[in-house]
Amino acid sequence: MKILGGKYKGRNFYMPAGIRPTQNMVRAAIFDLLGHDLSDLSFLELFAGSGAVSLEAISRGASRVVMVEHNDLNAKTIQENCDLLGIELGGDFSLIHAEALTTLKRIPEASQPFDIVFFDPPYGQKLAKKTLKLITSRDILHPQSLVLIQCEASETLEIPEDLKLLTQRRYGASLLTLLQRHV
């Protein structure tokens, strides 16, 4: 797999065996929706897998990126990918090796809110709805934060009152849903 844009454009990274990677076409669509320049934005990725979307965000200038991944092999691959690209973990770029929903419950209310929250839970487990509900119950979004969900096209999302739907796009079996917080 390759980074599609920004500082690390064209650089390869590792993909662990046994995961459903965010394909290049869908990753390109993600950054078409979010914008190609993420300078000075904070980014949270839940169910990070290989870290592909976070690595892309870092490459495109995100100033703070938190990746959350529970699987040991995937977390190790994220570390290896960061090493390969020369991205130092700790400080502005971090990996939390823990379960995503548990991590959301533990993010301190006093922490800085994220500009962008992206999540792509494992398919077949109906986790998108539960994750979205938990995100909105925590104080991790500011009034203009974006939430981008990649889930199975067949999964029904209930959009919370404090989020508005900006767009939905289908890519094969995947559905991208972009929401924005409003007050």
Side-chain angles (χ1 to χ4, degrees):
M1 299 284 282
K2 290 185 184 296
I3 301 290
L4 302 175
K7 177 179 176 180
Y8 302 111
K9 182 179 180 177
R11 299 275 304 270
N12 291 318
F13 60 92
Y14 303 116
M15 186 61 56
I19 69 166
R20 176 192 43 79
T22 299
Q23 299 298 324
N24 287 349
M25 177 183 67
V26 178
R27 230 175 340 119
I30 287 168
F31 288 94
D32 285 345
L33 291 171
L34 296 176
H36 294 278
D37 181 6
L38 302 185
S39 295
D40 302 321
L41 297 179
S42 58
F43 190 91
L44 171 64
E45 182 180 10
L46 304 166
F47 311 99
S50 67
V53 175
S54 288
L55 296 173
E56 198 75 50
I58 293 168
S59 183
R60 294 168 188 258
S63 60
R64 179 172 66 111
V65 175
V66 176
M67 298 168 269
V68 180
E69 177 54 49
H70 182 256
N71 179 279
D72 293 338
L73 175 62
N74 295 352
K76 183 177 185 241
T77 302
I78 291 170
Q79 176 68 57
E80 290 170 352
N81 284 334
C82 289
D83 291 345
L84 182 67
L85 296 171
I87 298 167
E88 188 174 330
L89 290 176
D92 293 333
F93 307 125
S94 60
L95 167 62
I96 299 173
H97 185 180
E99 199 276 324
L101 299 179
T102 302
T103 300
L104 276 174
K105 293 174 187 173
R106 292 183 178 159
I107 290 177
E109 296 286 339
S111 72
Q112 288 185 325
F114 290 94
D115 296 305
I116 301 168
V117 175
F118 171 76
F119 64 95
D120 176 13
Y123 285 12
Q125 298 181 30
K126 303 293 184 194
L127 289 171
K129 181 178 172 181
K130 187 174 186 177
T131 304
L132 182 58
K133 186 175 181 177
L134 191 53
I135 286 169
T136 58
S137 74
R138 306 296 296 155
D139 192 21
I140 63 167
L141 303 173
H142 61 68
Q144 297 302 313
S145 292
L146 296 173
V147 177
L148 182 58
I149 305 149
Q150 180 181 346
C151 65
E152 288 178 281
S154 62
E155 188 166 355
T156 304
L157 290 174
E158 292 177 19
I159 299 172
E161 286 182 14
D162 59 342
L163 294 174
K164 67 179 174 181
L165 175 66
L166 297 180
T167 190
Q168 281 188 315
R169 297 183 185 171
R170 186 175 177 154
Y171 297 88
S174 295
L175 181 68
L176 289 179
T177 302
L178 181 63
L179 308 169
Q180 185 171 36
R181 183 162 183 208
H182 66 92
V183 282

